[in-house]
């Protein structure tokens, strides 16, 4: 039996999408191999660069391509220690003025806040119509008493002339003398009462106890005042002011009475010259601060109750001075980078002192003989090898 098997496969029977997927997979594998090769090459290049940049050659010697930094040896110089403080302005001698006498209705107020007054000047007057009548009545009583005294003295004088003739007895003389003395006493009482009334009337005026500058006025015409009315005026004696500067315990120990200061009231550009006249003998147990009082002459920019800043010169000492670019700061405080004898970077913690136009003084942390990195310290790390160049050489 003759059997013939023939099979016909057409192009339509081939799955074209399967072939495309195979080609894509091959291309993806090729890309992955290329990318992996590139990453390996980059890693090798990075390792080689790091070895070269760190100065390690095949023989382990330090390379000549270490970073170049500019350094300075600051030394020591005499600097004036300045303490910057703030405080409240107040009158150096503040005088409250109130009712001294019995009080009454204010008839007129002669001064206002911001005026200058002299000692004894009337600042306000009180109605004295009743008191004036009382004084007039006492003045009349004085006249009556004086007339009685004159009459008693005249009777006594006449009687003394008649004693030798026997017309007047010794008893009559004694009686007339007593009458004269009583009249004199009554006159003295009347005079005392009159003087007392006049003094009381004079105290009805509100007068300035001292010359000075009127800080405040708390009374108006028509107001009734008594000794319980409180303060009617406040004066700054002679217009003198003071800055009550708050200082730390350590700063307070470094200043003394008589030191000249510069004071700048807040909100102005004026620089006033003052002088410390009192240093507080007591330190506040809560804030650990004390007060230094700086005396100031009157100036219109000084307003009691306002704030002002001051610079107090507290002597001279020897310190290193560095530009601000050399100072670094972090959560541990201020520090600088120095270059040690092996040309490696080292951190040195420092305490900042006074700030000048030429730089910042270093209160502690440097001897002055170190090589200090001037700038770009933020790009360095402790232990890093560098090539130091003095500031003069770098110019």
């Amino acid at each position: 039996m003759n059997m013939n098997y023939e099979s016909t496969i057409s192009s339509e029977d081939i799955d074209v999408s399967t072939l495309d997927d195979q080609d894509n997979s091959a291309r993806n594998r090729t890309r992955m191999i290329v990318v992996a090769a590139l990453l390996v090459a980059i890693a090798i290049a990075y390792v080689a660069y790091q070895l070269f940049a760190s100065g390690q050659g095949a023989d382990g010697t330090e390379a000549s391509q270490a970073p170049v930094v500019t350094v300075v040896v600051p030394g020591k110089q005499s600097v004036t220690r300045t303490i910057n403080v703030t405080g409240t302005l107040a009158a150096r001698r503040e005088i409250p003025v109130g009712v001294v006498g019995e009080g009454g209705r204010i008839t007129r107020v002669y001064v206002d806040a911001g005026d200058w007054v002299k000692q004894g000047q009337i600042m306000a007057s009180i109605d004295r119509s009743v008191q004036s009548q009382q004084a007039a009545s006492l003045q009349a009583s004085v006249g009556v008493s004086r007339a009685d005294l004159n009459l008693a003295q005249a009777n006594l004088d006449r009687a003394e002339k008649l004693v030798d003739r026997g017309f007047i007895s010794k008893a009559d003389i004694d009686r007339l003398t007593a009458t004269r003395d009583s009249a004199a006493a009554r006159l003295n009482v009347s005079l005392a009462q009159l003087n007392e009334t006049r003094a009381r009337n004079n105290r009805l005026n509100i007068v300035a106890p001292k010359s000075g500058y009127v800080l405040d006025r708390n009374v108006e015409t028509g107001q009734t005042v008594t000794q319980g009315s409180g303060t009617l005026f406040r004066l700054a004696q002679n217009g003198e002011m003071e800055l009550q500067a708050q200082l730390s315990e350590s700063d307070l120990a470094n200043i003394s009475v008589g030191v000249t200061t510069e004071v700048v009231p807040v909100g102005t550009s004026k620089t006033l010259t003052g002088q410390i006249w009192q240093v507080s003998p007591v330190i506040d147990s809560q804030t650990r601060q004390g007060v230094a009082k700086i005396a100031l002459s009157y100036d219109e920019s000084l307003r009691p109750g306002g704030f002002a800043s001051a610079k107090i010169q507290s002597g001279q000492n020897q310190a290193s001075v560095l530009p601000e670019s050399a100072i670094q700061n972090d959560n541990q405080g201020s520090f600088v980078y120095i270059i040690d004898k092996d040309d490696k970077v080292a951190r040195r913690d420092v305490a900042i002192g006074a700030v000048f136009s030429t730089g910042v003084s270093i209160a502690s942390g440097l001897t002055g003989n170190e090589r200090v990195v001037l700038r770009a310290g933020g790009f360095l790390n402790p232990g890093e090898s560098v090539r130091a160049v003095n500031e003069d050489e770098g110019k």
Side-chain angles (χ1 to χ4, degrees):
M1 181 174 175
N2 189 12
M3 298 182 65
N4 186 17
Y5 295 92
E6 294 182 358
S7 63
T8 303
I9 302 176
S10 66
S11 61
E12 295 178 353
D13 298 329
I14 299 175
D15 191 347
V16 178
S17 62
T18 302
L19 295 176
D20 291 340
D21 290 341
Q22 293 176 352
D23 292 340
N24 290 336
S25 298
R27 284 195 295 272
N28 289 338
R29 284 195 297 272
T30 301
R31 290 194 189 97
M32 292 177 64
I33 293 172
V34 173
V35 170
L38 288 174
L39 291 175
V40 171
I42 291 172
I44 294 173
Y46 177 76
V47 172
Y49 172 77
Q50 290 295 323
L51 291 174
F52 177 78
S54 62
Q56 300 296 328
D59 56 355
T61 60
E62 186 174 340
S64 62
Q65 297 300 319
V68 178
V69 296
T70 304
V71 298
V72 65
V73 179
K76 293 278 190 177
Q77 57 181 286
S78 179
V79 297
T80 301
R81 187 169 183 267
T82 302
I83 303 174
N84 296 312
V85 298
T86 58
T88 304
L89 293 168
R92 182 177 177 182
R93 294 282 186 253
E94 183 176 302
I95 304 175
V97 182
V99 177
V100 179
E102 62 185 24
R105 182 175 59 85
I106 298 294
T107 58
R108 187 174 180 183
V109 180
Y110 298 94
V111 298
D112 207 341
D115 293 339
W116 288 88
V117 294
K118 295 182 179 180
Q119 183 175 359
Q121 179 179 336
I122 298 176
M123 304 175 69
S125 58
I126 296 177
D127 177 58
R128 58 179 66 200
S129 57
V130 175
Q131 292 85 349
S132 297
Q133 295 300 319
Q134 291 174 346
S137 176
L138 290 173
Q139 179 69 50
S141 297
V142 169
V144 171
S145 299
R146 181 170 285 111
D148 291 342
L149 175 60
N150 293 335
L151 178 60
Q153 183 65 51
N155 292 334
L156 178 59
D157 293 340
R158 285 193 296 268
E160 288 178 343
K161 294 178 181 179
L162 299 175
V163 171
D164 296 338
R165 300 180 182 181
F167 294 106
I168 298 295
S169 65
K170 182 65 175 176
D172 292 333
I173 295 297
D174 293 339
R175 185 174 60 255
L176 292 173
T177 301
T179 301
R180 189 273 316 270
D181 293 342
S182 296
R186 287 193 297 272
L187 175 61
N188 290 335
V189 170
S190 297
L191 287 173
Q193 291 176 341
L194 176 62
N195 291 334
E196 179 185 3
T197 300
R198 287 174 173 174
R200 288 180 181 275
N201 292 347
N202 290 335
R203 295 175 68 185
L204 290 175
N205 292 327
I206 310 300
V207 300
K210 294 286 185 179
S211 299
Y213 181 71
V214 180
L215 299 174
D216 195 14
R217 163 186 164 175
N218 297 305
V219 64
E220 298 297 334
T221 301
Q223 179 179 342
T224 300
V225 295
T226 64
Q227 291 187 358
S229 298
T231 301
L232 304 183
F233 300 94
R234 288 191 304 118
L235 299 181
Q237 183 174 335
N238 299 323
E240 295 176 346
M241 303 292 175
E242 69 178 13
L243 173 63
Q244 299 173 353
Q246 297 284 340
L247 284 85
S248 66
E249 189 173 358
S250 58
D251 287 337
L252 207 65
N254 291 319
I255 63 174
S256 59
V257 173
V259 174
T260 301
T261 64
E262 293 182 354
V263 177
V264 179
V266 172
T268 71
S269 58
K270 287 187 176 181
T271 299
L272 307 176
T273 300
Q275 190 176 65
I276 297 177
W277 73 274
Q278 185 182 80
V279 177
S280 174
V282 179
I283 301 296
D284 189 284
S285 60
Q286 301 296 324
T287 63
R288 311 307 305 173
Q289 291 185 327
V291 177
K293 295 184 177 181
I294 302 171
L296 298 164
S297 299
Y298 172 78
D299 188 275
E300 60 182 5
S301 64
L302 298 175
R303 301 179 184 277
F307 286 93
S309 60
K311 293 181 179 180
I312 303 176
Q313 308 296 329
S314 61
Q316 292 186 334
N317 61 341
Q318 297 294 315
S320 299
V321 177
L322 293 172
E324 293 185 10
S325 60
I327 310 298
Q328 307 292 321
N329 292 278
D330 60 12
N331 55 5
Q332 297 180 6
S334 300
F335 66 94
V336 297
Y337 281 130
I338 64 172
I339 307 303
D340 61 18
K341 61 181 180 179
D342 298 325
D343 287 336
K344 292 184 180 296
V345 178
R347 174 185 171 127
R348 181 70 60 84
D349 293 331
V350 296
I352 302 300
V355 179
F356 308 97
S357 59
T358 57
V360 180
S361 66
I362 306 301
S364 63
L366 294 178
T367 64
N369 299 320
E370 299 89 349
R371 293 185 296 171
V372 181
V373 177
L374 278 183
R375 57 186 68 89
F379 298 98
L380 301 177
N381 296 304
E384 181 178 356
S385 296
V386 297
R387 186 159 60 91
V389 176
N390 289 335
E391 182 183 20
D392 294 337
E393 298 177 4
K395 293 181 179 180

